[in-house]
Amino acid sequence: GEARASAALAAIGAWQLSIAIAEETYYRGLVLSGSRSAVLGLGGVGLPVAPPLAAMVALLLSSAVFGAVHLEFASAAEPGDAAGGRAATDSSATDDSAARWFGVTAAYGAAYGALFVATGLHLLAPVCLHAGINTGLCMGRWQQLREMDAECARALFVEAEA
């Protein structure tokens, strides 16, 4: 009932917050910041780069790395699913190719990175956004599983283990 749903939401939220903290610390705190510093450092070898351009290059690089690393989930996607296991709601979301998966996750990475840059290279806002989006995606999947009959759910998990 209600207590189980609240406990599930809390557990999923805590799980996704831990993932968001780790990923944002790495992709924005290390990759984006480090790339920005490296591009700015080109000025020391006679190739001066304006800070906004350095931030844009670093944002593109960190977003591409974020998208590429998340390609491991492309093969696990069910037909008709899009990023994070979200059920498809329009015809464009039915393409589960690696290219689509890369594009969607890189776009999420770009949003988190843009927020990181816009907030003066602080992680709090992108961590909260990332955790919120992931929690919403997980809750949508959890609700689908709750509405499934028991036999169908069992078959889903048996296939996943195979």
Side-chain angles (χ1 to χ4, degrees):
E2 184 76 25
R4 288 179 60 184
S6 295
L9 177 59
I12 290 170
W15 169 44
Q16 292 306 318
L17 179 59
S18 68
I19 290 170
I21 290 169
E23 288 191 348
E24 292 310 309
T25 299
Y26 181 73
Y27 293 106
R28 266 44 81 186
L30 181 66
V31 175
L32 194 151
S33 293
S35 300
R36 181 180 170 274
S37 294
V39 172
L40 286 171
L42 293 174
V45 294
L47 298 169
V49 178
L53 179 60
M56 182 60 69
V57 169
L59 177 62
L60 291 172
L61 177 67
S62 66
S63 299
V65 171
F66 187 76
V69 167
H70 285 82
L71 283 175
E72 70 179 288
F73 299 111
S75 62
E78 294 285 327
D81 285 359
R86 182 182 63 225
T89 56
D90 62 67
S91 60
S92 67
T94 60
D95 177 8
D96 294 326
S97 68
R100 172 152 172 76
W101 194 269
F102 172 82
V104 169
T105 56
Y108 280 129
Y112 306 144
L115 193 54
F116 178 66
V117 170
T119 59
L121 307 182
H122 294 283
L123 286 170
L124 181 61
V127 164
C128 291
L129 179 63
H130 192 154
I133 287 173
N134 281 7
T135 299
L137 293 171
C138 286
M139 289 305 294
R141 178 59 81 190
W142 180 68
Q143 186 61 37
Q144 289 174 343
L145 288 172
R146 287 185 67 209
E147 293 169 356
M148 226 181 250
D149 66 49
E151 190 58 39
C152 187
R154 253 190 301 283
L156 177 68
F157 288 104
V158 168
E159 287 176 19
E161 292 175 359

